[in-house]
Amino acid sequence: ALYCNIGDFNNALEYYQKALQIRSSLLGEKHPDVSLTLNDIGCYYHSLEEYELALEFYKKALGIQIEIFGEQTPMVATTYNNIANAYTDLEEYERALDYHNKAIEIRKEIFGPSHPEVANSYGNAGVVCQNLEEYERAMEFYYSALEINRSVYGERHTSVAHNFLQIATVCSDLGDFERAVVYYSLVIDMQEELLGENHPDLALTYTGLGIVYEVTEEYGKAMELYFKAYSLRKKSFGESHPSTLDSYESYTRALIEAKGKNSPKSYGN
């Protein structure tokens, strides 16, 4: 896992393959530690965007886990979650939602309905519904996650801020821009307090609110937010990073739109 974290993927795969060989030899192929290594290899391929290969290893891990423990275990719920995320990245959203729902039911059974792991699964399912353009259903999942996280962590927590951010994106998708502004502004206030004003996560929130202002033709506000996002990403990732360039492009686009809106119109005879 360390090699993956530092981006040394070749060494990571070699390490995982050796670990799998040793554990299979010493413990047998049907052992929980073997399933964990298979899951790690799945995560490795997932990080490389080789989603089909990731699924192959996730499902091998799942088969061992269910055979040893049955379905009602946290380990199986985690593997269901991994499989669902791979299907999401493959844009097979119905299959992804099916696996997320399985994870939700297991986590509710094991941890109770008000546990952060359940909230996490609700949030993941909401993302899939949003991709399916089932916005009201996505909102239900996000509000369920929000309710749990507020009860566990209180009002001012990064998990709560993340749920509000998800809700803001749905409001924007639904064209409810007034509510979107309220939620995005709330998230910015929370993130600045909890993470600090220079945290790169703020760039995503600035961008989301900037898009709302751009759509509603409030270009000055959009430009200000896009420039904040650009400055944060430039400081965090460098001037040539794709996300930094995206923010600069958004700022430039809003600037051009603002000039076009404010320029005098000419009319033909």
Side-chain angles (χ1 to χ4, degrees), residues 27 31 46 48 125 157 196 213 217 219-220 244 251-252 255:
L27 305 171
H31 191 278
H46 203 149
L48 293 179
H157 190 273
Y213 281 131
E217 299 185 359
Y219 298 120
T244 307
Y251 171 78
T252 304
L255 176 63

Side-chain angles (χ1 to χ4, degrees), residues 38 44 102 109 154 164 186 191 235 239 246 263 265:
L38 288 167
Y44 162 83
K102 288 180 178 181
E109 179 70 24
F164 277 128
L186 176 61
Q191 288 180 329
K235 183 176 182 180
E239 196 166 7
D246 285 344
S263 64
K265 294 180 173 62

